[in-house]
Structure formats: C-alpha cells, structure tokens
Amino acid sequence: MHRLLIALSAAAAVASAAAAAEVRQGALAVANPWSLPAAAGMTGAGYMAITNSGRAADTLTAVETPVAARVAMHKMSMTGGVMRMDPAGRIAIPAGATTRFAPGGLHLMLLGLKRPLRAGESFPATLVFAQAGRVKVAFDVTAAPPAAPGGHDHTGH
C-alpha cells in the first residue's frame, strides 16, 4: 500500500509539472516557456512554442516581465553566410499552426535584466495577443532547452 501511494504521488507530481509547462487561453496554447541563465544588467533570452488550434490567426503584440526593463522580439537569419538578428515586431500566430521561439530563430530579448536569471528558478511574464488578450506564463530558467512533449525537440518556425 505504501509503495502504491508513493507511485501515485510521483505520477501526480509529473502530471503537475507537465501541466505547468503549457498554458492555454482560448485557441492558444503556450508550451515550454524557458530562458537561459543571465546576469543582472545584461540581456537574457526567452523561448517557447505557441500553438493556435483555432480557425483565425492571432498576433503576439508584446511581452512584459518584471525581471527586465523591456522585452523585444527578434528573429535570426542567415544571409550570405552571415548570421543576422533583426527586430521581428509583431509575431503572427497562424490558425492551425505552431510558432516556435527557439535558439537561432525567433526569440525574446530580455533587455536590462533587473536581477540574475539562475538555472532552476522561474520568472513571470505576460504575453499580449491581439485577439486572445493577456496570457500569464512562467519561464523556467535552464541551461538547455526542455524536451518537447512526446520526447521530441522541435525548433524553428
């Protein structure tokens, strides 16, 4: 009986952690928000996947967090063998698709960090969408990307 209770407790903890890795609001699901460790005063980066299961597109217009002076959305691209990083402005979230923020592609720049981002911690953020409104998420700080659901790590857009 004791082993059964331990097994059930462990299963509940795993299910709770999995549920915390995804936030749903309307047709949107934000999965695995994470950030790399960074020092206070420096620039951090944020990554996630946003799935729109609805029939209408939405747009990510802004991101807010108390840990940074401001957040900018950027995209990286390769042009003539040179890696470029440019502001992305508003990010379209097409209907029936997943938009990924990942190293080497779309990402959040956390400018003017007000405190260090330490591995094992998390910090709050609010994603602002044109249609879905404000979605509160927590970014886990980790040195490596979390595994995507199903054990596959998909990156890019």
Side-chain angles (χ1 to χ4, degrees), residues 3 14 35 49 88 147:
R3 287 184 185 188
V14 168
S35 179

Side-chain angles (χ1 to χ4, degrees), residues 75-122:
K75 61 183 172 185
M76 295 186 78
S77 61
M78 190 69 91
T79 306
V82 176
M83 183 67 78
R84 294 178 40 104
M85 182 172 59
D86 297 302
R90 300 160 53 103
I91 305 294
I93 312 296
T98 298
T99 301
R100 289 178 172 75
F101 289 71
L106 283 174
H107 61 280
L108 304 176
M109 298 288 296
L110 309 170
L111 304 164
L113 287 174
K114 297 176 182 178
R115 67 169 181 84
L117 303 180
R118 294 185 179 99
E121 296 180 344
S122 65

Side-chain angles (χ1 to χ4, degrees), residues 17 20-21 32-36 118-123 138-144 146:
N32 295 324
W34 68 282
S35 179
L36 293 166
R118 294 185 179 99
E121 296 180 344
S122 65
F123 62 89
F139 280 78
D140 292 328
V141 181
T142 178

